[in-house]
Amino acid sequence: MKRMHLHVGVENLDQSVRFYSALFGTQPTRTKTDYAQWLLEEPRLNFAISTRVGTKGVDHLGLQVDDPEELAELRERFSQADLAVYDEGEVVCCYSRSDKAWIKDPSGVAWEAYRTMEQAQVYSSVTEPKAEACCVPGAHVQAGSKATAAVTTGCC
């Protein structure tokens, strides 16, 4: 596993960037008008904030990997958890083109396993009006469910 990932919804991006830059002792690695990301080495963390998520606070957690083999291993671990897995595949989300899979833990906390291939110029490749947040699994992936989730909607 390369890096722990944490995505937090914020109300005011500028104030939040100032706060987290002070907290981490460094400026974001990447900023957009609605998004900021820190790729920290100590601790190894991909910390992102955005104004696009539906709620403020922790939106989802994840594990970011560098190569397809590591992602395949995480997908296998997800399936061994006996919970519904949403295998999203390649998408553009959070200003990156990534390959992703999602699961919700028994308490409903969303986790993603992903590998980023490259940066993107848009937040999401989905053009639906409700496309605000990245592809945190919705109602089609229920916490505690043992069935494999069917992909019923596009990203976001």
Side-chain angles (χ1 to χ4, degrees), residues 77-84 103 144-147:
R77 288 183 192 178
F78 276 12
S79 67
Q80 290 175 1
D82 261 350
L83 299 171
I103 195 167
S145 169
K146 293 184 181 181

Side-chain angles (χ1 to χ4, degrees), residues 30 32 91-98 116-125:
R30 209 165 149 201
K32 300 289 184 178
V91 296
V92 172
C93 189
C94 299
Y95 296 102
S96 297
R97 187 172 67 85
S98 302
T116 298
M117 284 79 80
E118 63 186 1
Q119 293 186 6
Q121 296 302 312
V122 295
Y123 188 82
S124 171
S125 58

Side-chain angles (χ1 to χ4, degrees), residues 63-77:
L63 299 170
Q64 178 184 11
V65 298
D66 284 334
D67 60 63
E69 293 79 22
E70 289 175 305
L71 185 56
E73 180 183 336
L74 284 176
R75 280 185 164 117
E76 177 62 25
R77 288 183 192 178

Side-chain angles (χ1 to χ4, degrees), residues 9-24:
V10 299
E11 190 169 327
N12 183 301
L13 193 74
D14 292 334
Q15 288 177 345
S16 297
V17 165
R18 281 192 298 279
F19 172 79
Y20 287 112
S21 293
L23 178 67
F24 298 139

Side-chain angles (χ1 to χ4, degrees), residues 24-45:
F24 298 139
T26 187
Q27 293 298 308
T29 307
R30 209 165 149 201
T31 57
K32 300 289 184 178
T33 59
D34 54 0
Y35 178 85
Q37 177 188 54
W38 288 259
L39 295 176
L40 304 170
E41 294 303 321
E42 186 59 40
R44 288 217 27 100
L45 175 67

